């Protein structure tokens, strides 16, 4: 492949919360909006050092390292978005009522309190402009939506975990 400037192109952000019944969502992704200045999903690996006497025990460098998995953080700043869809994102968890959090101790994955996030680059990008579909996400961080006489920016961060099939993300756009 040639070494060249990479341009993903503008990115449409879709969300799906399959357990929220609404006229806007039947489990298929719906358009949330478009980012302010693009976005950069961050993939985070988790590792465990294995100490050994060969390298000084606990205080020395590891003799091996175990891979424990990966998550991703997707931070969005949107200046063009659908406020009806934002109301569902602001719930933070699938299947709960806005303003009423899930019961303490709820299990996120087994109770289905997670959604789906799909990032779809629009036409005009090069090379890296492939869709990214995160099948198991939720918003752990605060959600901000400005109010005032100037345009409002929606800021939210989705945390992605591998689904029951072991997929953190793929390029599926099913349902869009």
């Amino acid at each position: 492949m040639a070494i060249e400037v990479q341009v993903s192109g503008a990115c449409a952000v879709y969300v799906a919360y399959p357990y929220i019944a609404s006229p806007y969502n039947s489990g298929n992704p719906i358009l949330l909006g478009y980012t302010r200045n693009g976005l950069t999903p961050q993939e985070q690996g988790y590792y465990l050092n294995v100490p050994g006497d060969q390298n000084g025990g606990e205080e020395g460098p590891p003799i091996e390292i175990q891979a424990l998995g990966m998550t991703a953080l997707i931070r969005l700043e949107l200046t063009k978005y659908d406020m009806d869809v934002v109301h569902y994102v602001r719930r933070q968890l699938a299947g709960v009522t806005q303003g009423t959090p899930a019961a303490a101790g709820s299990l996120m994955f087994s109770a289905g309190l997670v959604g789906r996030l799909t990032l779809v680059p629009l036409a005009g990008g090069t090379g890296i402009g492939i869709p990214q579909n995160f099948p198991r996400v939720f918003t752990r961080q605060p959600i901000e939506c400005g109010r005032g006489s100037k345009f409002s920016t929606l800021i939210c961060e989705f945390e992605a975990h591998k689904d029951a099939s072991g997929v953190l993300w793929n390029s599926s756009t099913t349902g869009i």
Side-chain angles (χ1 to χ4, degrees):
M1 218 175 175
I3 296 175
E4 57 189 16
V5 174
Q6 301 293 319
V7 180
S8 176
C11 186
V13 178
Y14 290 83
V15 294
Y17 291 97
Y19 303 105
I20 295 177
S22 82
Y24 301 102
N25 195 358
S26 61
N28 289 325
I30 48 179
L31 182 62
L32 172 61
Y34 302 91
T35 60
R36 179 184 199 135
N37 280 320
L39 61 121
T40 306
Q42 300 174 357
E43 295 177 15
Q44 171 69 50
Y46 294 84
Y47 304 94
L48 177 65
N49 289 342
V50 179
D53 283 340
Q54 303 94 311
N55 289 344
E58 295 288 338
E59 289 77 22
I63 60 168
E64 182 61 272
I65 299 173
Q66 287 183 286
L68 300 177
M70 181 181 279
T71 60
L73 295 175
I74 305 96
R75 185 174 191 279
L76 303 173
E77 288 188 33
L78 303 163
T79 52
K80 187 174 183 182
Y81 48 89
D82 183 330
M83 201 61 205
D84 289 331
V85 180
V86 171
H87 291 308
Y88 291 102
V89 171
R90 290 181 68 190
R91 294 174 185 202
Q92 293 191 297
L93 303 173
V96 300
T97 305
Q98 186 172 349
T100 306
S106 296
L107 298 174
M108 301 286 293
F109 304 150
S110 37
L113 298 175
V114 293
R116 172 181 169 196
L117 178 73
T118 308
L119 311 173
V120 181
L122 303 177
T126 64
I128 60 173
I130 63 166
Q132 267 190 299
N133 175 59
F134 298 88
R136 182 182 273 177
V137 299
F138 62 96
T139 52
R140 185 187 298 256
Q141 302 302 320
I143 296 172
E144 301 175 37
C145 192
R147 293 187 173 94
S149 58
K150 294 184 179 181
F151 67 90
S152 295
T153 301
L154 170 69
I155 300 172
C156 58
E157 183 175 283
F158 288 86
E159 184 174 306
H161 291 260
K162 67 180 182 176
D163 66 9
S165 301
V167 175
L168 177 62
W169 70 270
N170 56 33
S171 58
S172 173
T173 56
T174 301
I176 295 175

